[in-house]
Amino acid sequence: MSKPALPKSIWVLGFVSMLMDISSEMIHSLLPMFMVGTLGISVFAVGLIDGIAESTTLIVKVFSGALSDRLGKRKALAVFGYGLSAFTKPLFAIAQGMGMLLTARMMDRIGKGIRGAPRDALITDITPAEIRGAAFGLRQSLDTIGAVVGPLLATALMLLWMNDYRRIFWLAVIPGLAAMVLLFVGVKEPDNKTALRPGNPISMHNLRRMGTAYWWVVALGSIFTLARFSEAFLILRAQQMQIPIAYVPLIMVTMNLVYAATAYPFGKLSDRVSHPLLLACGLLVLIASDVVLGYSQNWYGLAAGIALWGVHMGMTQGLLSSMVAGSAPADLRGTAFGFFNLASGVSLLLASVVAGLLWQEFGSAFTFYAGAVFACISLLGLILHPSTRKKMQP
């Protein structure tokens, strides 16, 4: 029996993510260089700001996800989150120091946090269970296409406007606003979900209702996030190799092209194979990427390491979302995505801060080798855990 087709709203949500990622990546692909080169911020501060900002995103997701469960509504919160991120973009253009830049990053990431868990729960509500891996994979692929287009636009505009960072940051507002409008007019929330009200979603009773299968997925996601750090360090690694500043965003284009090309196929594959097995394979690819990036001293090695990084992202990111969706009660899906991302956020903050310290004290190669070592430890823990071994049985 053939599986059902993906609902139209999944495609719309994918294009919404694509437009917002174009907006965000026009800024983020240039931001590390802007921070270090223009504002004189240290590499350690880059890692600290990035870790704090991204962790804030994931902490906010707990409350937005729980609120979407409590209200029985998800779309309105998602629209507000996309709008907040869009209207924050001008702050990057006017930033003169670390204070304003941190404010901009925090507000932008709060917007992402507000929309993230309700959007993922909305995808779960809309999509039949047997094709959820494909749905999350498609959204991730379209999102990542935006992460390709954004740096390409940034590169072209850096060449056209003679490295005018601030002018590009102003232009990034446009696709962000388009994403908010498309979500508002193009997605219809399922009516039958509004009746599901869990009371206080973060009460002890409801947290226990999520069950051990869900909390096992949370633990897996946390361990996996500890094994990798912010992609800002990929950009800084490219800059070390004397690549012209205007072309450095192409590093993220390479990674995201691979990511976009692999996320949907691996999402479909996750509907048919063992999830822990696929996660283990993703960790192996991450280990290979770290080793190549640490060892390479030329453009070709850098490109290979970046491509491997993209493959591991394509193998794992949609998969983890699908695992959360499949393990949580229907009326607590927003809360489930929120707590999953909170745990991942703590791990991301630790990983980014440690990476910044290692880079500053021991150099870039040591940072990537340390990432490979921790990925090996994570892989070993994943394989040896009794729950994982049981789930990996044919």
Side-chain angles (χ1 to χ4, degrees):
M1 183 177 178
S2 62
K3 293 183 178 180
L6 288 171
K8 175 185 174 182
S9 289
I10 298 300
W11 287 90
V12 174
L13 285 165
F15 284 112
V16 167
S17 292
M18 181 185 74
L19 286 168
M20 183 52 72
D21 233 41
I22 290 173
S23 176
S24 294
E25 290 301 324
M26 286 176 67
I27 293 175
H28 295 162
S29 63
L30 301 174
L31 197 58
M33 295 182 295
F34 178 70
M35 293 166 69
V36 174
T38 301
L39 300 184
I41 295 173
S42 70
V43 173
F44 170 70
V46 171
L48 181 62
I49 290 174
D50 202 67
I52 292 173
E54 294 300 332
S55 298
T56 299
T57 297
L58 303 175
I59 292 168
V60 171
K61 284 183 180 181
V62 174
F63 301 100
S64 65
L67 184 59
S68 75
D69 288 334
R70 182 67 179 265
L71 299 176
K73 296 287 187 180
R74 313 200 191 277
K75 177 180 170 180
L77 283 170
V79 171
F80 177 73
Y82 277 105
L84 181 60
S85 290
F87 286 110
T88 299
K89 296 296 188 283
L91 294 180
F92 291 98
I94 64 175
Q96 299 295 327
M98 186 171 174
M100 177 64 76
L101 194 67
L102 179 59
T103 300
R105 282 286 280 155
M106 292 286 287
M107 290 182 65
D108 178 52
R109 297 298 89 180
I110 287 171
K112 183 176 181 180
I114 290 172
R115 68 182 183 255
R119 181 204 61 212
D120 290 343
L122 182 59
I123 291 172
T124 308
D125 292 345
I126 293 170
T127 309
E130 62 267 32
I131 57 170
R132 280 182 187 150
F136 281 107
L138 176 67
R139 191 208 68 81
Q140 196 65 66
S141 284
L142 289 172
D143 178 270
T144 309
I145 289 172
V148 171
V149 175
L152 282 176
L153 279 174
T155 299
L157 293 172
M158 285 285 279
L159 292 170
L160 179 65
W161 291 341
M162 296 168 44
N163 299 341
D164 190 340
Y165 292 102
R166 299 182 189 277
R167 194 174 179 185
I168 296 169
F169 295 169
W170 278 110
L171 190 65
V173 177
I174 297 174
L177 291 175
M180 180 186 68
V181 172
L182 179 60
L183 174 61
F184 182 76
V185 302
V187 174
K188 179 177 173 58
E189 190 164 12
D191 293 331
N192 63 336
K193 299 299 179 186
T194 60
L196 297 173
R197 306 290 177 86
N200 178 5
I202 58 176
S203 67
M204 288 303 300
H205 169 71
N206 281 320
L207 294 180
R208 284 194 295 268
R209 282 181 55 215
M210 293 186 185
T212 56
Y214 166 74
W215 294 110
W216 176 80
V217 173
V218 171
L220 279 182
S222 299
I223 294 169
F224 192 86
T225 305
L226 278 172
R228 63 182 180 88
F229 37 77
S230 168
E231 290 156 14
F233 293 98
L234 304 181
I235 296 173
L236 293 173
R237 181 65 168 143
Q239 191 177 19
Q240 276 191 334
M241 296 185 182
Q242 306 302 314
I243 297 172
I245 290 177
Y247 293 103
V248 169
L250 295 179
I251 295 303
M252 297 307 295
V253 171
T254 301
M255 191 275 285
N256 285 310
L257 276 173
V258 177
Y259 187 4
T262 56
Y264 183 49
F266 279 117
K268 292 181 69 175
L269 181 63
S270 73
D271 289 326
R272 301 193 298 271
V273 304
S274 163
H275 289 169
L277 177 61
L278 197 53
L279 272 180
C281 293
L283 275 168
L284 286 172
V285 176
L286 176 59
I287 291 166
S289 174
D290 280 328
V291 171
V292 171
L293 287 168
Y295 180 77
S296 297
Q297 300 297 322
N298 56 51
W299 170 266
Y300 304 106
L302 177 68
I306 294 294
L308 286 169
W309 192 284
V311 171
H312 112 265
M313 294 287 286
M315 293 177 73
T316 60
Q317 298 309 292
L319 169 63
L320 288 167
S321 295
S322 180
M323 292 171 70
V324 173
S327 61
D331 59 331
L332 292 172
R333 285 169 178 159
T335 307
F337 278 106
F339 271 103
F340 173 82
N341 287 303
L342 171 62
S344 298
V346 173
S347 297
L348 181 62
L349 175 59
L350 290 173
S352 295
V353 171
V354 169
L357 285 171
L358 290 176
W359 187 296
Q360 194 159 287
E361 296 298 324
F362 302 104
S364 57
F366 189 91
T367 302
F368 286 102
Y369 292 145
V373 170
F374 198 86
C376 288
I377 296 171
S378 301
L379 177 61
L380 186 62
L382 175 64
I383 293 173
L384 294 180
H385 193 278
S387 298
T388 303
R389 281 162 40 189
K390 181 178 178 181
K391 289 174 180 290
M392 290 175 68
Q393 294 298 320

